[in-house]
Amino acid sequence: MEQQPYASGGARVLVVDDDPTVSEVVSGYLDRAGYVVDRAGDGPDALARAAAHWPDLVVLDLMLPGMDGLEVCRRMRGQGPVPVIMLTARGDEDDRILGLEVGADDYVTKPFSPRELVLRVESVLRRSRPAPSSGNRPSQPPATLRAGGLALDPAARRAVKGETELALTIREFDLLAFFMRHSGRVFSREDLMREVWGWDFGDLSTVTVHVRRLRGKVEDDPARPRLVQTVWGVGYRFDAGREGEV
């Protein structure tokens, strides 16, 4: 498989799975793609390895013995921001939604293609860091977006509501940035999956969960959203009376 530019940078990926075969196969593919790979077989081991060498991304099995993947994800996120791709052995929608609710940036359902997982890893990491500037000329930093009492700095990947900095996951940040750049326009869940996630197909509940999580962080009353509005039968619209860019 062709090696992607980000992978050659040697990003560190922690693979957490109690199935030695899955762990070995996934680690092998990631290693060949240019990543530095750590492996853990359970939750406490994963937390210890993360503390010793903080990963750039975690591939985390949901069904771990003892401490499950949801708790591992919560504890890691309590220590610092880190992208998480959740692995689930079942196709049950509740499992997938639980993973997204605790802040997973993506999920893959077993059985899966290791090549697909590597592509998902590359996609999440690419979105988690600013793209390098091209050429010798200094690049102009993206303008700060302001709307509805929010300020979003794309270069620093920092979002603020009033005077409070928002703790957004990678996908939540990308979703908010997309909404703010296209204030007043309606987008279907398919549109958002394509434009924000970069996928032409996938489970649309991913979008639904991320919209709900985003509302919980940017709305004064998430039960009666003012900023991210539902347009019934169509999709969602960011409607805040755009205040421009600075």
mmCIF file of all heavy atoms in Angstrom, residues 196-244:
data_model
loop_
_atom_site.group_PDB
_atom_site.id
_atom_site.type_symbol
_atom_site.label_atom_id
_atom_site.label_comp_id
_atom_site.label_asym_id
_atom_site.label_seq_id
_atom_site.Cartn_x
_atom_site.Cartn_y
_atom_site.Cartn_z
ATOM 1 N N VAL A 196 -17.298 16.852 5.843
ATOM 2 C CA VAL A 196 -16.560 16.930 7.106
ATOM 3 C C VAL A 196 -15.745 15.670 7.361
ATOM 4 O O VAL A 196 -14.583 15.729 7.757
ATOM 5 C CB VAL A 196 -17.530 17.190 8.284
ATOM 6 C CG1 VAL A 196 -16.773 17.219 9.610
ATOM 7 C CG2 VAL A 196 -18.277 18.501 8.067
ATOM 8 N N TRP A 197 -16.366 14.507 7.119
ATOM 9 C CA TRP A 197 -15.660 13.244 7.358
ATOM 10 C C TRP A 197 -14.832 12.808 6.150
ATOM 11 O O TRP A 197 -13.921 12.016 6.278
ATOM 12 C CB TRP A 197 -16.653 12.133 7.720
ATOM 13 C CG TRP A 197 -17.043 12.102 9.160
ATOM 14 C CD1 TRP A 197 -16.580 11.232 10.108
ATOM 15 C CD2 TRP A 197 -17.977 12.961 9.838
ATOM 16 N NE1 TRP A 197 -17.172 11.505 11.330
ATOM 17 C CE2 TRP A 197 -18.029 12.558 11.196
ATOM 18 C CE3 TRP A 197 -18.768 14.024 9.419
ATOM 19 C CZ2 TRP A 197 -18.841 13.188 12.126
ATOM 20 C CZ3 TRP A 197 -19.575 14.665 10.347
ATOM 21 C CH2 TRP A 197 -19.602 14.256 11.681
ATOM 22 N N GLY A 198 -15.199 13.300 4.972
ATOM 23 C CA GLY A 198 -14.489 12.901 3.764
ATOM 24 C C GLY A 198 -14.881 11.537 3.253
ATOM 25 O O GLY A 198 -14.143 10.909 2.507
ATOM 26 N N TRP A 199 -16.068 11.064 3.679
ATOM 27 C CA TRP A 199 -16.545 9.751 3.242
ATOM 28 C C TRP A 199 -17.733 9.920 2.306
ATOM 29 O O TRP A 199 -18.608 10.760 2.531
ATOM 30 C CB TRP A 199 -17.004 8.902 4.441
ATOM 31 C CG TRP A 199 -15.989 8.740 5.519
ATOM 32 C CD1 TRP A 199 -14.634 8.917 5.436
ATOM 33 C CD2 TRP A 199 -16.238 8.376 6.882
ATOM 34 N NE1 TRP A 199 -14.040 8.702 6.643
ATOM 35 C CE2 TRP A 199 -14.997 8.355 7.550
ATOM 36 C CE3 TRP A 199 -17.390 8.063 7.584
ATOM 37 C CZ2 TRP A 199 -14.874 8.032 8.900
ATOM 38 C CZ3 TRP A 199 -17.274 7.748 8.927
ATOM 39 C CH2 TRP A 199 -16.030 7.727 9.575
ATOM 40 N N ASP A 200 -17.775 9.111 1.270
ATOM 41 C CA ASP A 200 -18.919 9.125 0.356
ATOM 42 C C ASP A 200 -20.052 8.233 0.848
ATOM 43 O O ASP A 200 -21.171 8.296 0.330
ATOM 44 C CB ASP A 200 -18.492 8.681 -1.050
ATOM 45 C CG ASP A 200 -17.625 9.727 -1.726
ATOM 46 O OD1 ASP A 200 -17.872 10.921 -1.503
ATOM 47 O OD2 ASP A 200 -16.690 9.352 -2.458
ATOM 48 N N PHE A 201 -19.766 7.379 1.816
ATOM 49 C CA PHE A 201 -20.802 6.533 2.395
ATOM 50 C C PHE A 201 -20.392 6.184 3.814
ATOM 51 O O PHE A 201 -19.226 6.293 4.184
ATOM 52 C CB PHE A 201 -20.999 5.250 1.567
ATOM 53 C CG PHE A 201 -19.764 4.403 1.463
ATOM 54 C CD1 PHE A 201 -19.488 3.421 2.400
ATOM 55 C CD2 PHE A 201 -18.856 4.601 0.429
ATOM 56 C CE1 PHE A 201 -18.343 2.643 2.311
ATOM 57 C CE2 PHE A 201 -17.709 3.821 0.330
ATOM 58 C CZ PHE A 201 -17.449 2.843 1.271
ATOM 59 N N GLY A 202 -21.373 5.770 4.612
ATOM 60 C CA GLY A 202 -21.085 5.405 5.986
ATOM 61 C C GLY A 202 -22.341 5.456 6.821
ATOM 62 O O GLY A 202 -23.432 5.748 6.324
ATOM 63 N N ASP A 203 -22.199 5.177 8.109
ATOM 64 C CA ASP A 203 -23.326 5.162 9.035
ATOM 65 C C ASP A 203 -23.692 6.605 9.403
ATOM 66 O O ASP A 203 -22.920 7.310 10.047
ATOM 67 C CB ASP A 203 -22.933 4.373 10.280
ATOM 68 C CG ASP A 203 -24.079 4.208 11.260
ATOM 69 O OD1 ASP A 203 -25.137 4.829 11.043
ATOM 70 O OD2 ASP A 203 -23.918 3.469 12.239
ATOM 71 N N LEU A 204 -24.871 7.039 9.002
ATOM 72 C CA LEU A 204 -25.272 8.427 9.213
ATOM 73 C C LEU A 204 -25.520 8.758 10.683
ATOM 74 O O LEU A 204 -25.573 9.935 11.050
ATOM 75 C CB LEU A 204 -26.522 8.741 8.387
ATOM 76 C CG LEU A 204 -26.334 8.672 6.867
ATOM 77 C CD1 LEU A 204 -27.649 8.979 6.157
ATOM 78 C CD2 LEU A 204 -25.242 9.620 6.401
ATOM 79 N N SER A 205 -25.652 7.727 11.527
ATOM 80 C CA SER A 205 -25.803 8.013 12.956
ATOM 81 C C SER A 205 -24.547 8.674 13.510
ATOM 82 O O SER A 205 -24.597 9.360 14.538
ATOM 83 C CB SER A 205 -26.110 6.729 13.733
ATOM 84 O OG SER A 205 -25.023 5.822 13.687
ATOM 85 N N THR A 206 -23.412 8.495 12.839
ATOM 86 C CA THR A 206 -22.181 9.185 13.232
ATOM 87 C C THR A 206 -22.393 10.688 13.222
ATOM 88 O O THR A 206 -22.005 11.401 14.159
ATOM 89 C CB THR A 206 -21.044 8.820 12.260
ATOM 90 O OG1 THR A 206 -20.820 7.419 12.298
ATOM 91 C CG2 THR A 206 -19.757 9.549 12.623
ATOM 92 N N VAL A 207 -23.030 11.195 12.168
ATOM 93 C CA VAL A 207 -23.300 12.622 12.063
ATOM 94 C C VAL A 207 -24.283 13.057 13.148
ATOM 95 O O VAL A 207 -24.084 14.076 13.812
ATOM 96 C CB VAL A 207 -23.849 12.971 10.669
ATOM 97 C CG1 VAL A 207 -24.197 14.458 10.587
ATOM 98 C CG2 VAL A 207 -22.849 12.594 9.582
ATOM 99 N N THR A 208 -25.345 12.280 13.332
ATOM 100 C CA THR A 208 -26.366 12.620 14.321
ATOM 101 C C THR A 208 -25.761 12.762 15.717
ATOM 102 O O THR A 208 -26.051 13.721 16.439
ATOM 103 C CB THR A 208 -27.466 11.546 14.346
ATOM 104 O OG1 THR A 208 -27.982 11.370 13.027
ATOM 105 C CG2 THR A 208 -28.593 11.935 15.280
ATOM 106 N N VAL A 209 -24.921 11.813 16.096
ATOM 107 C CA VAL A 209 -24.312 11.836 17.424
ATOM 108 C C VAL A 209 -23.392 13.040 17.569
ATOM 109 O O VAL A 209 -23.393 13.724 18.604
ATOM 110 C CB VAL A 209 -23.553 10.528 17.696
ATOM 111 C CG1 VAL A 209 -22.734 10.637 18.975
ATOM 112 C CG2 VAL A 209 -24.522 9.361 17.812
ATOM 113 N N HIS A 210 -22.601 13.333 16.556
ATOM 114 C CA HIS A 210 -21.684 14.463 16.644
ATOM 115 C C HIS A 210 -22.422 15.793 16.705
ATOM 116 O O HIS A 210 -21.990 16.717 17.415
ATOM 117 C CB HIS A 210 -20.700 14.441 15.471
ATOM 118 C CG HIS A 210 -19.535 13.536 15.691
ATOM 119 N ND1 HIS A 210 -19.600 12.181 15.503
ATOM 120 C CD2 HIS A 210 -18.264 13.794 16.116
ATOM 121 C CE1 HIS A 210 -18.422 11.630 15.789
ATOM 122 N NE2 HIS A 210 -17.600 12.598 16.160
ATOM 123 N N VAL A 211 -23.526 15.912 15.984
ATOM 124 C CA VAL A 211 -24.332 17.130 16.086
ATOM 125 C C VAL A 211 -24.866 17.283 17.504
ATOM 126 O O VAL A 211 -24.835 18.377 18.084
ATOM 127 C CB VAL A 211 -25.487 17.121 15.061
ATOM 128 C CG1 VAL A 211 -26.491 18.233 15.365
ATOM 129 C CG2 VAL A 211 -24.947 17.287 13.645
ATOM 130 N N ARG A 212 -25.354 16.184 18.090
ATOM 131 C CA ARG A 212 -25.872 16.238 19.448
ATOM 132 C C ARG A 212 -24.779 16.626 20.448
ATOM 133 O O ARG A 212 -25.006 17.457 21.338
ATOM 134 C CB ARG A 212 -26.495 14.896 19.829
ATOM 135 C CG ARG A 212 -27.114 14.899 21.222
ATOM 136 C CD ARG A 212 -28.036 13.731 21.441
ATOM 137 N NE ARG A 212 -27.348 12.449 21.415
ATOM 138 C CZ ARG A 212 -27.540 11.505 20.493
ATOM 139 N NH1 ARG A 212 -28.394 11.710 19.510
ATOM 140 N NH2 ARG A 212 -26.887 10.367 20.558
ATOM 141 N N ARG A 213 -23.602 16.052 20.298
ATOM 142 C CA ARG A 213 -22.491 16.383 21.197
ATOM 143 C C ARG A 213 -22.069 17.841 21.017
ATOM 144 O O ARG A 213 -21.773 18.543 21.997
ATOM 145 C CB ARG A 213 -21.300 15.459 20.934
ATOM 146 C CG ARG A 213 -21.482 14.038 21.476
ATOM 147 C CD ARG A 213 -20.259 13.189 21.171
ATOM 148 N NE ARG A 213 -19.045 13.822 21.664
ATOM 149 C CZ ARG A 213 -18.601 13.711 22.909
ATOM 150 N NH1 ARG A 213 -19.287 13.002 23.793
ATOM 151 N NH2 ARG A 213 -17.486 14.301 23.273
ATOM 152 N N LEU A 214 -22.033 18.301 19.776
ATOM 153 C CA LEU A 214 -21.646 19.688 19.515
ATOM 154 C C LEU A 214 -22.645 20.653 20.136
ATOM 155 O O LEU A 214 -22.258 21.665 20.745
ATOM 156 C CB LEU A 214 -21.543 19.914 18.010
ATOM 157 C CG LEU A 214 -21.092 21.308 17.565
ATOM 158 C CD1 LEU A 214 -19.695 21.623 18.097
ATOM 159 C CD2 LEU A 214 -21.117 21.412 16.042
ATOM 160 N N ARG A 215 -23.930 20.348 20.002
ATOM 161 C CA ARG A 215 -24.949 21.201 20.623
ATOM 162 C C ARG A 215 -24.753 21.284 22.129
ATOM 163 O O ARG A 215 -24.952 22.339 22.746
ATOM 164 C CB ARG A 215 -26.335 20.650 20.316
ATOM 165 C CG ARG A 215 -26.839 20.965 18.914
ATOM 166 C CD ARG A 215 -28.123 20.231 18.635
ATOM 167 N NE ARG A 215 -28.773 20.694 17.411
ATOM 168 C CZ ARG A 215 -29.729 20.026 16.791
ATOM 169 N NH1 ARG A 215 -30.146 18.857 17.280
ATOM 170 N NH2 ARG A 215 -30.268 20.516 15.699
ATOM 171 N N GLY A 216 -24.370 20.174 22.731
ATOM 172 C CA GLY A 216 -24.169 20.164 24.172
ATOM 173 C C GLY A 216 -23.053 21.092 24.621
ATOM 174 O O GLY A 216 -22.990 21.467 25.797
ATOM 175 N N LYS A 217 -22.183 21.482 23.701
ATOM 176 C CA LYS A 217 -21.046 22.330 24.055
ATOM 177 C C LYS A 217 -21.196 23.780 23.599
ATOM 178 O O LYS A 217 -20.589 24.669 24.199
ATOM 179 C CB LYS A 217 -19.761 21.728 23.467
ATOM 180 C CG LYS A 217 -19.447 20.348 24.036
ATOM 181 C CD LYS A 217 -18.203 19.738 23.425
ATOM 182 C CE LYS A 217 -17.932 18.355 24.011
ATOM 183 N NZ LYS A 217 -16.704 17.725 23.469
ATOM 184 N N VAL A 218 -21.975 24.023 22.538
ATOM 185 C CA VAL A 218 -22.057 25.389 22.014
ATOM 186 C C VAL A 218 -23.388 26.081 22.304
ATOM 187 O O VAL A 218 -23.472 27.307 22.241
ATOM 188 C CB VAL A 218 -21.792 25.432 20.485
ATOM 189 C CG1 VAL A 218 -20.453 24.795 20.161
ATOM 190 C CG2 VAL A 218 -22.913 24.750 19.696
ATOM 191 N N GLU A 219 -24.432 25.295 22.606
ATOM 192 C CA GLU A 219 -25.752 25.885 22.820
ATOM 193 C C GLU A 219 -25.952 26.269 24.287
ATOM 194 O O GLU A 219 -25.497 25.565 25.186
ATOM 195 C CB GLU A 219 -26.851 24.899 22.416
ATOM 196 C CG GLU A 219 -26.804 24.460 20.960
ATOM 197 C CD GLU A 219 -27.366 25.511 20.015
ATOM 198 O OE1 GLU A 219 -27.790 26.589 20.492
ATOM 199 O OE2 GLU A 219 -27.378 25.258 18.798
ATOM 200 N N ASP A 220 -26.682 27.364 24.518
ATOM 201 C CA ASP A 220 -27.061 27.724 25.887
ATOM 202 C C ASP A 220 -28.055 26.709 26.442
ATOM 203 O O ASP A 220 -28.012 26.352 27.620
ATOM 204 C CB ASP A 220 -27.686 29.123 25.912
ATOM 205 C CG ASP A 220 -26.680 30.209 25.564
ATOM 206 O OD1 ASP A 220 -25.482 30.027 25.850
ATOM 207 O OD2 ASP A 220 -27.092 31.246 24.995
ATOM 208 N N ASP A 221 -28.948 26.241 25.583
ATOM 209 C CA ASP A 221 -29.925 25.218 25.952
ATOM 210 C C ASP A 221 -29.940 24.167 24.844
ATOM 211 O O ASP A 221 -30.624 24.342 23.839
ATOM 212 C CB ASP A 221 -31.311 25.829 26.123
ATOM 213 C CG ASP A 221 -32.361 24.802 26.554
ATOM 214 O OD1 ASP A 221 -31.992 23.613 26.728
ATOM 215 O OD2 ASP A 221 -33.532 25.181 26.707
ATOM 216 N N PRO A 222 -29.175 23.070 24.999
ATOM 217 C CA PRO A 222 -29.096 22.058 23.937
ATOM 218 C C PRO A 222 -30.446 21.463 23.559
ATOM 219 O O PRO A 222 -30.621 21.001 22.419
ATOM 220 C CB PRO A 222 -28.180 20.989 24.547
ATOM 221 C CG PRO A 222 -27.371 21.713 25.568
ATOM 222 C CD PRO A 222 -28.293 22.749 26.133
ATOM 223 N N ALA A 223 -31.406 21.472 24.496
ATOM 224 C CA ALA A 223 -32.729 20.936 24.189
ATOM 225 C C ALA A 223 -33.513 21.850 23.248
ATOM 226 O O ALA A 223 -34.459 21.410 22.586
ATOM 227 C CB ALA A 223 -33.521 20.709 25.473
ATOM 228 N N ARG A 224 -33.117 23.123 23.206
ATOM 229 C CA ARG A 224 -33.758 24.096 22.307
ATOM 230 C C ARG A 224 -32.660 24.840 21.560
ATOM 231 O O ARG A 224 -32.358 25.999 21.836
ATOM 232 C CB ARG A 224 -34.639 25.056 23.096
ATOM 233 C CG ARG A 224 -35.700 24.360 23.941
ATOM 234 C CD ARG A 224 -36.573 25.337 24.684
ATOM 235 N NE ARG A 224 -37.406 26.126 23.775
ATOM 236 C CZ ARG A 224 -38.293 27.034 24.183
ATOM 237 N NH1 ARG A 224 -38.442 27.267 25.485
ATOM 238 N NH2 ARG A 224 -39.006 27.702 23.314
ATOM 239 N N PRO A 225 -32.015 24.155 20.626
ATOM 240 C CA PRO A 225 -30.831 24.729 19.966
ATOM 241 C C PRO A 225 -31.156 25.981 19.155
ATOM 242 O O PRO A 225 -32.136 26.021 18.419
ATOM 243 C CB PRO A 225 -30.343 23.592 19.061
ATOM 244 C CG PRO A 225 -31.546 22.726 18.840
ATOM 245 C CD PRO A 225 -32.337 22.812 20.103
ATOM 246 N N ARG A 226 -30.300 26.969 19.319
ATOM 247 C CA ARG A 226 -30.450 28.223 18.566
ATOM 248 C C ARG A 226 -29.443 28.297 17.419
ATOM 249 O O ARG A 226 -29.730 28.865 16.369
ATOM 250 C CB ARG A 226 -30.225 29.407 19.510
ATOM 251 C CG ARG A 226 -30.293 30.769 18.839
ATOM 252 C CD ARG A 226 -30.074 31.886 19.838
ATOM 253 N NE ARG A 226 -28.750 31.836 20.438
ATOM 254 C CZ ARG A 226 -27.657 32.416 19.888
ATOM 255 N NH1 ARG A 226 -27.761 33.059 18.743
ATOM 256 N NH2 ARG A 226 -26.501 32.350 20.499
ATOM 257 N N LEU A 227 -28.255 27.715 17.625
ATOM 258 C CA LEU A 227 -27.189 27.824 16.630
ATOM 259 C C LEU A 227 -27.272 26.721 15.575
ATOM 260 O O LEU A 227 -27.360 27.003 14.388
ATOM 261 C CB LEU A 227 -25.820 27.784 17.322
ATOM 262 C CG LEU A 227 -25.554 28.900 18.339
ATOM 263 C CD1 LEU A 227 -24.227 28.660 19.041
ATOM 264 C CD2 LEU A 227 -25.564 30.249 17.660
ATOM 265 N N VAL A 228 -27.223 25.473 16.025
ATOM 266 C CA VAL A 228 -27.279 24.333 15.100
ATOM 267 C C VAL A 228 -28.716 23.840 15.073
ATOM 268 O O VAL A 228 -29.158 23.095 15.948
ATOM 269 C CB VAL A 228 -26.317 23.208 15.528
ATOM 270 C CG1 VAL A 228 -26.338 22.078 14.499
ATOM 271 C CG2 VAL A 228 -24.895 23.751 15.678
ATOM 272 N N GLN A 229 -29.446 24.260 14.067
ATOM 273 C CA GLN A 229 -30.874 23.982 14.002
ATOM 274 C C GLN A 229 -31.155 22.792 13.087
ATOM 275 O O GLN A 229 -30.467 22.569 12.090
ATOM 276 C CB GLN A 229 -31.625 25.211 13.486
ATOM 277 C CG GLN A 229 -31.495 26.423 14.391
ATOM 278 C CD GLN A 229 -32.328 27.587 13.911
ATOM 279 O OE1 GLN A 229 -33.077 27.481 12.939
ATOM 280 N NE2 GLN A 229 -32.225 28.722 14.593
ATOM 281 N N THR A 230 -32.181 22.026 13.454
ATOM 282 C CA THR A 230 -32.653 20.925 12.619
ATOM 283 C C THR A 230 -33.672 21.451 11.612
ATOM 284 O O THR A 230 -34.608 22.159 11.992
ATOM 285 C CB THR A 230 -33.310 19.829 13.475
ATOM 286 O OG1 THR A 230 -32.336 19.283 14.372
ATOM 287 C CG2 THR A 230 -33.855 18.710 12.585
ATOM 288 N N VAL A 231 -33.433 21.125 10.363
ATOM 289 C CA VAL A 231 -34.408 21.432 9.312
ATOM 290 C C VAL A 231 -35.071 20.107 8.978
ATOM 291 O O VAL A 231 -34.478 19.251 8.309
ATOM 292 C CB VAL A 231 -33.739 22.047 8.076
ATOM 293 C CG1 VAL A 231 -34.775 22.347 6.997
ATOM 294 C CG2 VAL A 231 -32.978 23.315 8.466
ATOM 295 N N TRP A 232 -36.260 19.879 9.472
ATOM 296 C CA TRP A 232 -36.903 18.578 9.416
ATOM 297 C C TRP A 232 -37.037 18.069 7.988
ATOM 298 O O TRP A 232 -37.461 18.780 7.086
ATOM 299 C CB TRP A 232 -38.275 18.622 10.082
ATOM 300 C CG TRP A 232 -38.175 18.927 11.547
ATOM 301 C CD1 TRP A 232 -38.502 20.096 12.187
ATOM 302 C CD2 TRP A 232 -37.640 18.073 12.562
ATOM 303 N NE1 TRP A 232 -38.224 20.021 13.518
ATOM 304 C CE2 TRP A 232 -37.693 18.787 13.792
ATOM 305 C CE3 TRP A 232 -37.119 16.778 12.559
ATOM 306 C CZ2 TRP A 232 -37.254 18.249 14.990
ATOM 307 C CZ3 TRP A 232 -36.681 16.233 13.770
ATOM 308 C CH2 TRP A 232 -36.750 16.967 14.953
ATOM 309 N N GLY A 233 -36.633 16.819 7.799
ATOM 310 C CA GLY A 233 -36.701 16.183 6.500
ATOM 311 C C GLY A 233 -35.548 16.523 5.580
ATOM 312 O O GLY A 233 -35.449 15.978 4.483
ATOM 313 N N VAL A 234 -34.666 17.435 6.039
ATOM 314 C CA VAL A 234 -33.542 17.843 5.184
ATOM 315 C C VAL A 234 -32.205 17.603 5.886
ATOM 316 O O VAL A 234 -31.374 16.831 5.425
ATOM 317 C CB VAL A 234 -33.659 19.330 4.778
ATOM 318 C CG1 VAL A 234 -32.510 19.708 3.833
ATOM 319 C CG2 VAL A 234 -35.006 19.597 4.115
ATOM 320 N N GLY A 235 -31.988 18.290 7.016
ATOM 321 C CA GLY A 235 -30.707 18.151 7.695
ATOM 322 C C GLY A 235 -30.520 19.208 8.762
ATOM 323 O O GLY A 235 -31.406 19.432 9.590
ATOM 324 N N TYR A 236 -29.374 19.908 8.714
ATOM 325 C CA TYR A 236 -29.026 20.870 9.753
ATOM 326 C C TYR A 236 -28.562 22.182 9.126
ATOM 327 O O TYR A 236 -28.012 22.218 8.033
ATOM 328 C CB TYR A 236 -27.902 20.324 10.645
ATOM 329 C CG TYR A 236 -28.227 19.009 11.302
ATOM 330 C CD1 TYR A 236 -27.713 17.817 10.784
ATOM 331 C CD2 TYR A 236 -29.040 18.944 12.424
ATOM 332 C CE1 TYR A 236 -28.005 16.601 11.380
ATOM 333 C CE2 TYR A 236 -29.334 17.733 13.026
ATOM 334 C CZ TYR A 236 -28.810 16.561 12.497
ATOM 335 O OH TYR A 236 -29.107 15.357 13.077
ATOM 336 N N ARG A 237 -28.770 23.263 9.892
ATOM 337 C CA ARG A 237 -28.344 24.590 9.452
ATOM 338 C C ARG A 237 -27.756 25.344 10.641
ATOM 339 O O ARG A 237 -28.330 25.356 11.728
ATOM 340 C CB ARG A 237 -29.531 25.372 8.898
ATOM 341 C CG ARG A 237 -29.180 26.805 8.445
ATOM 342 C CD ARG A 237 -30.405 27.548 7.943
ATOM 343 N NE ARG A 237 -31.395 27.725 9.002
ATOM 344 C CZ ARG A 237 -32.686 27.417 8.880
ATOM 345 N NH1 ARG A 237 -33.147 26.912 7.750
ATOM 346 N NH2 ARG A 237 -33.517 27.607 9.892
ATOM 347 N N PHE A 238 -26.600 25.952 10.423
ATOM 348 C CA PHE A 238 -26.022 26.834 11.428
ATOM 349 C C PHE A 238 -26.585 28.225 11.171
ATOM 350 O O PHE A 238 -26.360 28.810 10.111
ATOM 351 C CB PHE A 238 -24.490 26.850 11.321
ATOM 352 C CG PHE A 238 -23.816 27.626 12.424
ATOM 353 C CD1 PHE A 238 -23.534 27.028 13.639
ATOM 354 C CD2 PHE A 238 -23.469 28.949 12.240
ATOM 355 C CE1 PHE A 238 -22.917 27.730 14.661
ATOM 356 C CE2 PHE A 238 -22.846 29.669 13.252
ATOM 357 C CZ PHE A 238 -22.571 29.053 14.461
ATOM 358 N N ASP A 239 -27.316 28.756 12.136
ATOM 359 C CA ASP A 239 -28.073 29.984 11.918
ATOM 360 C C ASP A 239 -27.841 30.924 13.086
ATOM 361 O O ASP A 239 -28.559 30.913 14.073
ATOM 362 C CB ASP A 239 -29.561 29.649 11.777
ATOM 363 C CG ASP A 239 -30.363 30.806 11.214
ATOM 364 O OD1 ASP A 239 -29.757 31.851 10.899
ATOM 365 O OD2 ASP A 239 -31.589 30.665 11.098
ATOM 366 N N ALA A 240 -26.804 31.758 12.958
ATOM 367 C CA ALA A 240 -26.457 32.618 14.077
ATOM 368 C C ALA A 240 -26.283 34.072 13.691
ATOM 369 O O ALA A 240 -25.919 34.883 14.554
ATOM 370 C CB ALA A 240 -25.173 32.109 14.721
ATOM 371 N N GLY A 241 -26.512 34.432 12.437
ATOM 372 C CA GLY A 241 -26.256 35.808 12.020
ATOM 373 C C GLY A 241 -24.772 36.049 12.030
ATOM 374 O O GLY A 241 -24.201 36.607 12.958
ATOM 375 N N ARG A 242 -24.091 35.530 10.994
ATOM 376 C CA ARG A 242 -22.626 35.532 10.939
ATOM 377 C C ARG A 242 -22.072 36.919 11.182
ATOM 378 O O ARG A 242 -22.516 37.898 10.617
ATOM 379 C CB ARG A 242 -22.165 35.032 9.572
ATOM 380 C CG ARG A 242 -20.668 34.773 9.510
ATOM 381 C CD ARG A 242 -20.385 33.894 8.321
ATOM 382 N NE ARG A 242 -18.956 33.725 8.137
ATOM 383 C CZ ARG A 242 -18.436 32.746 7.418
ATOM 384 N NH1 ARG A 242 -19.206 31.865 6.859
ATOM 385 N NH2 ARG A 242 -17.143 32.638 7.263
ATOM 386 N N GLU A 243 -21.056 36.972 12.044
ATOM 387 C CA GLU A 243 -20.466 38.239 12.433
ATOM 388 C C GLU A 243 -19.159 38.534 11.695
ATOM 389 O O GLU A 243 -18.439 39.452 12.037
ATOM 390 C CB GLU A 243 -20.213 38.244 13.951
ATOM 391 C CG GLU A 243 -21.497 38.049 14.753
ATOM 392 C CD GLU A 243 -21.233 37.749 16.206
ATOM 393 O OE1 GLU A 243 -20.065 37.888 16.618
ATOM 394 O OE2 GLU A 243 -22.166 37.402 16.925
ATOM 395 N N GLY A 244 -18.865 37.701 10.698
ATOM 396 C CA GLY A 244 -17.679 37.970 9.885
ATOM 397 C C GLY A 244 -16.421 37.292 10.384
ATOM 398 O O GLY A 244 -16.440 36.480 11.289
#
